[in-house]
Amino acid sequence: MQQTSASSSATPNPIADNAVRLTFVDNSGKTIASLDYTKAGANKGTSLGSLVRQSNGTYQWKLDQNGTTVRDDLNAKIKAALNGTGYTYDLTTGGNEAVIAQALTGNETKISLTKGATVYQQLSPYSTDGTNVTNAVPMKATAGTNKSVFDTTVAKGDSGFTSDIEFKDTTQFNADGTLTNDFQQALYNYLKDDKNSASLNKLNSAILKAAAQTYIAPAALNTTDLFSGAQGASYTGQDVLNYVNGKASLKALKSGAFPQFNANGTLKGWYQLNYTPSYAANGTFGTGASQVVYSYSSATPTQLAAFPTSTGSNTSDPFAPAASTTTPTTGSGSTSTPSQSSSTSSSSSSTSSQSSSASSSSTK
């Protein structure tokens, strides 16, 4: 026996006489996924499995007379068909195998599914300049008093400045975004002998790079808007990207605002990076945060018309706090080809709903 096709089309193809069509539907009867599975040499109307005598003398519907070869093969194909839908159907659980074993070739068997323990999956955000996933670094939400401004320390070893720059306080900037007198004087002293703007470029580049590790927490998201699925169900990277692109505040994610300076130490302006979701990894609901990479262009930051101010959003943030600096793992939905991979994880929050169930009916 083998699978011949998988489909969720509204207009299905005719069913072969030696094949069973398994159609998974939700509570409203809407098709979730469908696949055809053949039984070699079978005539139309033959059961996919058979009644098999057990050691205690009873009979049970099984897909295999001996062993679990057919069951395991079909179970893998069902898992693949339901991948990314948030539903699961496991032939090793309860009476699920018996339902499928009684399905008749040349006919469709509809299996009603309800989502089990629903997991609201957190996302683990990364950013990369361009689309190279191997260069991606973890991001964190801005957490300062002004949530619109990045609050990452810029180390003097990266910027070349005389000391670390702590943008999370008001040592460098006033509440309206203008430079403090002391900081502007320090910038002037640092840059006054700059040759070919090397020090200026290094300073501005280090600030931009630090800001690229931050994002402004998205607004207008409720708990029910978060990425979710049944506990233990698998999803693809494309499922994650579809979710992110379907939420305006996630699709248009932005960095915290950051300053750039002129050669004389004055403020050139406040800038921001626009992130574009470009890659996400495969995963399983309930086993850790889903990795998603946002691309940006360091060559084209957006200059803001005015200094931004915000106390932040009180809506649900789907992102898990950055926990490591490892490269995202390889998965579907990528627009680049990683040359190496490692993993990162974070705990996910979950809520429970009704447990999974299955029923069947044959259409002859």
Side-chain angles (χ1 to χ4, degrees):
M1 288 186 280
Q2 62 181 7
Q3 179 189 18
T4 57
S5 65
S7 172
S8 58
S9 172
T11 307
N13 295 323
I15 306 170
D17 287 348
N18 65 341
V20 169
R21 176 161 296 160
L22 304 177
T23 300
F24 298 93
V25 298
D26 63 16
N27 289 334
S28 68
K30 181 180 178 181
T31 297
I32 302 166
S34 179
L35 65 87
D36 287 2
Y37 198 83
T38 61
K39 182 175 183 178
N43 296 319
K44 185 174 182 178
T46 303
S47 61
L48 190 59
S50 59
L51 282 169
V52 178
R53 182 181 173 87
Q54 305 301 297
S55 58
N56 61 1
T58 62
Y59 287 82
Q60 292 184 10
W61 280 99
K62 296 286 185 181
L63 290 168
D64 302 86
Q65 286 286 341
N66 296 290
T68 60
T69 302
V70 175
R71 186 196 70 182
D72 293 345
D73 179 60
L74 181 53
N75 207 33
K77 290 176 170 61
I78 291 173
K79 181 178 180 180
L82 293 174
N83 187 32
T85 65
Y87 292 84
T88 60
Y89 190 78
D90 188 351
L91 294 180
T92 66
T93 301
N96 290 353
E97 182 179 1
V99 170
I100 302 300
Q102 295 176 69
L104 301 178
T105 56
N107 291 273
E108 178 184 40
T109 293
K110 290 188 176 181
I111 303 161
S112 178
L113 301 180
T114 56
K115 291 186 178 180
T118 300
V119 175
Y120 291 96
Q121 190 81 7
Q122 286 186 297
L123 306 179
S124 182
Y126 290 74
S127 67
T128 186
D129 189 1
T131 57
N132 190 341
V133 175
T134 60
N135 293 331
V137 295
M139 294 194 291
K140 65 176 183 178
T142 54
T145 302
N146 184 350
K147 298 297 191 298
S148 292
V149 178
F150 93 107
D151 52 351
T152 302
T153 298
V154 181
K156 63 180 180 180
D158 295 328
S159 68
F161 196 59
T162 54
S163 62
D164 293 347
I165 305 175
E166 297 281 353
F167 285 102
K168 62 184 178 182
D169 58 32
T170 57
T171 304
Q172 293 82 25
F173 300 95
N174 300 309
D176 61 357
T178 57
L179 302 182
T180 62
N181 292 334
D182 288 345
F183 186 49
Q184 185 165 334
Q185 184 62 49
L187 286 170
Y188 172 78
N189 292 337
Y190 172 66
L191 296 171
K192 64 181 180 180
D193 297 322
D194 189 15
K195 303 297 183 183
N196 301 318
S197 298
S199 296
L200 174 66
N201 292 337
K202 184 176 182 179
L203 174 63
N204 282 338
S205 177
I207 292 172
L208 183 151
K209 187 176 181 180
Q213 298 177 40
T214 69
Y215 66 89
I216 299 173
L221 285 178
N222 298 314
T223 302
T224 52
D225 294 322
L226 303 183
F227 186 50
S228 63
Q231 176 79 34
S234 59
Y235 56 82
T236 66
Q238 189 59 53
D239 294 328
V240 179
L241 289 180
N242 289 344
Y243 162 75
V244 170
N245 284 315
K247 304 295 180 184
S249 58
L250 298 181
K251 183 178 180 180
L253 201 66
K254 299 180 183 299
S255 74
F258 59 92
Q260 297 284 269
F261 303 110
N262 295 310
N264 62 358
T266 58
L267 181 67
K268 181 179 180 180
W270 285 90
Y271 291 76
Q272 195 168 50
L273 298 171
N274 297 312
Y275 297 126
T276 301
S278 60
Y279 166 89
N282 303 333
T284 302
F285 286 105
T287 59
S290 309
Q291 299 166 353
V292 57
V293 176
Y294 284 86
S295 297
Y296 67 89
S297 172
S298 60
T300 57
T302 299
Q303 184 169 6
L304 302 177
F307 181 67
T309 57
S310 172
T311 56
S313 170
N314 292 323
T315 58
S316 298
D317 185 353
F319 296 117
S324 72
T325 56
T326 55
T327 303
T329 54
T330 304
S332 299
S334 174
T335 58
S336 60
T337 305
S339 59
Q340 62 183 19
S341 67
S342 57
S343 63
T344 181
S345 66
S346 176
S347 60
S348 63
S349 60
S350 65
T351 59
S352 295
S353 63
Q354 55 191 337
S355 59
S356 299
S357 64
S359 61
S360 68
S361 62
S362 296
T363 305
K364 301 182 181 180

